[in-house]
Amino acid sequence: MSDFFQFLISGIAVGSIYALAALGFVLIYKSSRVINFAHGQLIAIGAFVAYALVAWLKLPIALALLTAVLATGLLGFVVERVFLKRLVGQPIISVIMVTIGLASVLDGLMYLTPFGSGNFSYPAFLPQEPLRLAGITVSYPQLLAVGFTALFLLLFGWFFQRSTLGISMRAVADDQMAAMSVGVSVEKVFALAWAVAGVTAASAGMVVGTVSGLNQDSLIAIGLAVFPAVILGGLDSIPGAVVGGITIGVLQNLAAGYLNRFVPGGGTELVIPFVVLLVVLWFKPHGLFGTEEIERV
Amino acid sequence: MRNPWAQTGNYRTSYEQDTTIFATYREIVSVGVLLVALVLLPQFLERSQVLTLNFILIYAIAVLGLNITTGYAGLISVGQAAFMGVGAYTVALAAPYLPFYLTIPLGAAVAAVFGAIVGIPSLRVKHLYLALATLAFQEIFVWSVGRMPALAQGASIPVEMRNFLGYEIGFRNHNHFWYYVILFTLVLMVIAWRNLLRGKYGRALVAVRDNDRAADAMGMDPGRTKLMAFALGALYAGVAGGLLAYFQRSVVIEEFTLAKSVGFLAMAIVGGLGTVVGSLLGPAFIEYLRLLMERFSEWIKGNQVIQQVIPPGVDVASALLPLSFGLVIVLFLMFEPRGLYNWWRLVRSYFRTWPFKY
């Protein structure tokens, strides 16, 4: 039984990372109906920028993290301005393919830095000794992951309920035409959504970096794990992103703990998210909290 | 239309003329010339060049299929390589017992069934959700093959065919023999594609893509039409996968990954969505781009001067491929969303209306 709780707790920690990544993803989709296949690259870039600042420029860790978060936010903003802005009104396939192309370009650019291959890790700034509580161990980076997600959720909650920008973003998500006609700048909202997505992506990347080290391939893979999380939670729901992310993380850990011994070669945690994705699409395609679209001819 | 051979422009006066495949005699002639050229081409090429050509033609078949699912029906599929893999593995398992003209249709049929299953969400949702269903299938496929003892756990399975109706296929003539088989299949698939999509079913696909509620109101069944689109797209992929298995003499999972699927989408877009010409130009363009980049990175690796400028740890060679590939996709979508097909169309209409400019 304590095994089960151990899996559950580490699952929640991993799931928090997915939830963070999924937040940015949902934000972009909610405001501009763009599915971002380059989200994994944003995550990786955020993590590596933070590493470069800490390891090469020897910035204090908090300052480095903040700079990296802002830099990735800026990157998201630039991506929207340069590429996505021209594609407003184009068919969905063009938009999706542009983000896929962008993902490839960003991959190529990362190979041009020393981070393309090999493993890196942040200098340790958290206690190495894990916390032990009633037979369950939790490491400090895992706690950090959960804390970060909670912090961002609170920030987002405040941002969308209280700030003018947040309210206008909600308005655009709800009805673009109506928002435009009451004077909300839809363009500004799209760009802002990308910037905030960059911020959350970078945070997710840095949390992964502290939990399990930095490696381009595994950082980018998180961008793929985001899809099951957002589909399970509902593509356009922010609470859904969190619930979906954490559920996927927990399921992965439970699968690794209980199913791997039945499968030759193991690795069920790699495929479980996609099985969930397919099953959700078959039986409850709009996810747990997603809105079902009502269409008229 | 006094002299149909010297026709410049559109002189069609009846529905019968409008529904012909070829608008002018020149088009028939040019397609004939193209076919003859394709048949004769390998005689002038080296074995390695025929190899490249074979890959391009196989990919062209897969892209034709993708052009049904994505180009015509507007359902984005990021799983075309997995459907290709289903065809290839079916062929690999059946090859010891059946001749290749039976195994390839079998592979195609199995792939089509998988296509329909993956397409089930299309009964209720649209767009992105469907793209993600194919993505999930793609990942599940690669993972499962890597763990199935019956499929050699993703390691290569040999597919042998030593003679065909008494004709020995050895090391020397392997590429040439399969070139003709692939070309023949491609021509068949193109004819089927054209006839399928200009008929009732093709219209239904376009109607469902443009507005599926309206199509529903006009008496089409959008769900069934979309399932058919998935199944047909996967069927083409299955044929391509089967051919690939025989041509490579083996099946390995690396051929059927997500990256390949994305590559097919890129080929379809660069060529021009929903067109036959694009389905040929796209694969050729992307494959030659890849070859070019490989040459270029070889050259960089060999060049001492450049090697000294590059800081250690920087991997220019492996950066080139994703960088060029991504740039091509992004640039085409931003500046020529209709793809290479549009350039071909402009050239063609120039000649058709010559000496006039419109």
Side-chain angles (χ1 to χ4, degrees), chain B residues 3-292:
Chain B
N3 181 358
W5 291 92
Q7 187 176 334
T8 59
N10 181 352
Y11 291 103
R12 279 169 275 180
T13 50
S14 68
Y15 281 126
E16 282 71 38
Q17 287 171 19
D18 231 8
T19 53
T20 50
I21 287 194
F22 300 109
T24 62
Y25 285 93
R26 280 187 200 180
E27 279 180 30
I28 301 180
V29 173
S30 59
V31 168
V33 169
L34 177 72
L35 266 181
V36 171
L38 280 174
V39 168
L40 293 180
L41 192 59
Q43 305 304 329
F44 307 107
L45 296 178
E46 312 227 330
R47 285 183 60 250
S48 66
Q49 290 168 313
V50 178
L51 178 100
T52 312
L53 218 53
N54 280 354
F55 276 115
I56 291 174
L57 294 189
I58 289 175
Y59 292 158
I61 296 177
V63 172
L64 271 175
L66 190 62
N67 265 328
I68 298 178
T69 334
T70 305
Y72 257 76
L75 311 161
I76 303 155
S77 168
V78 262
Q80 193 71 351
F83 294 129
M84 203 169 152
V86 172
Y89 276 98
T90 313
V91 164
L93 293 181
Y97 314 106
L98 295 172
F100 84 94
Y101 46 83
L102 289 181
T103 52
I104 289 179
L106 180 71
V110 175
V113 170
F114 273 94
I117 294 172
V118 172
I120 287 176
S122 67
L123 298 173
R124 288 169 67 188
V125 286
K126 296 206 285 191
H127 308 317
L128 324 156
Y129 293 96
L130 294 177
L132 295 181
T134 52
L135 177 87
F137 175 66
Q138 170 74 57
E139 293 293 318
I140 294 171
F141 173 77
V142 171
W143 185 88
S144 333
V145 170
R147 272 149 190 89
M148 261 184 234
L151 300 178
Q153 279 160 342
S156 85
I157 305 177
V159 182
E160 279 299 330
M161 196 172 96
R162 295 228 174 263
N163 74 78
F164 173 66
L165 301 177
Y167 177 77
E168 288 288 321
I169 308 159
F171 175 73
R172 292 248 125 242
N173 55 359
H174 177 83
N175 288 358
H176 282 76
F177 172 77
W178 283 107
Y179 175 82
Y180 288 111
V181 174
I182 294 164
L183 183 64
F184 177 73
T185 319
L186 177 66
V187 171
L188 279 187
M189 300 305 270
V190 167
I191 294 171
W193 198 93
R194 279 291 268 167
N195 281 309
L196 189 79
L197 294 182
R198 72 200 183 103
K200 175 183 153 196
Y201 182 66
R203 301 278 154 219
L205 280 182
V206 174
V208 167
R209 174 190 65 195
D210 289 346
N211 190 332
D212 55 351
R213 301 288 145 188
D216 201 358
M218 285 190 284
M220 297 162 189
D221 182 344
R224 210 187 57 191
T225 313
K226 287 178 187 173
L227 280 188
M228 283 280 279
F230 268 109
L232 278 172
L235 185 136
Y236 273 72
V239 171
L243 288 171
L244 189 75
Y246 277 114
F247 168 57
Q248 289 204 307
R249 296 194 195 130
S250 69
V251 181
V252 204
I253 193 63
E254 275 80 26
E255 286 287 334
F256 311 111
T257 54
L258 182 63
K260 261 282 160 56
S261 284
V262 170
F264 286 139
L265 267 176
M267 288 175 190
I269 284 183
V270 168
L273 275 177
T275 60
V276 172
V277 178
S279 307
L280 295 172
L281 291 179
F285 185 91
I286 298 280
E287 274 299 288
Y288 278 109
L289 177 78
R290 194 175 62 79
L291 279 182
L292 190 74

Side-chain angles (χ1 to χ4, degrees), chain A residues 29 33 35 37 82-83 86-87 90 92-98 100-102 104-109 111-117 224 227 230-231 234-236 263-268 270-271 274-275 277-278 281-286 291-293 295-297, chain B residues 70 76 78 117-121 124-137 139-140 143-144 146-149 153 211-214 217 258 262 265-266 269 273 311-316 318-323 325-327 329-330 333-335 337:
Chain A
Y29 180 77
R33 305 279 133 169
I35 269 251
F37 271 84
V82 178
F83 300 102
R86 294 159 189 261
L87 289 169
Q90 294 273 344
I92 279 182
I93 170 143
S94 306
V95 180
I96 289 187
M97 273 315 281
V98 160
I100 289 180
L102 267 174
S104 190
V105 170
L106 293 177
D107 268 344
L109 289 178
Y111 278 115
L112 288 181
T113 66
F115 299 121
S117 38
L224 275 184
F227 290 115
V230 293
I231 288 289
L235 248 180
D236 52 1
V263 178
T268 40
L270 300 173
V271 79
F274 296 102
V275 175
L277 173 53
L278 209 51
L281 283 175
W282 275 337
F283 296 107
K284 195 163 174 26
H286 291 284
T291 45
E292 217 159 313
E293 284 172 44
E295 289 181 79
R296 293 187 187 85
V297 175
Chain B
T70 305
I76 303 155
V78 262
I117 294 172
V118 172
I120 287 176
R124 288 169 67 188
V125 286
K126 296 206 285 191
H127 308 317
L128 324 156
Y129 293 96
L130 294 177
L132 295 181
T134 52
L135 177 87
F137 175 66
E139 293 293 318
I140 294 171
W143 185 88
S144 333
R147 272 149 190 89
M148 261 184 234
Q153 279 160 342
N211 190 332
D212 55 351
R213 301 288 145 188
L258 182 63
V262 170
L265 267 176
I269 284 183
L273 275 177
V314 172
D315 193 352
V316 179
S318 42
L320 275 175
L321 212 54
L323 204 60
F325 177 75
L327 268 183
I329 300 178
V330 172
L333 281 167
M334 282 165 66
F335 299 108

Side-chain angles (χ1 to χ4, degrees), chain A residues 2-70:
Chain A
S2 80
D3 266 0
F4 176 78
F5 282 109
Q6 181 65 56
F7 295 143
L8 197 69
I9 298 291
S10 358
I12 290 175
V14 177
S16 301
I17 299 170
Y18 294 158
L20 258 181
L23 269 180
F25 191 89
V26 166
L27 210 65
I28 292 179
Y29 180 77
K30 204 171 155 61
S31 65
S32 59
R33 305 279 133 169
V34 171
I35 269 251
N36 179 17
F37 271 84
H39 212 70
Q41 278 71 16
L42 285 183
I43 292 172
I45 287 176
F48 284 133
V49 169
Y51 179 82
L53 291 175
V54 172
W56 296 348
L57 293 184
K58 308 272 185 247
L59 286 187
I61 196 114
L63 186 64
L65 295 186
L66 192 68
T67 321
V69 163
L70 293 180

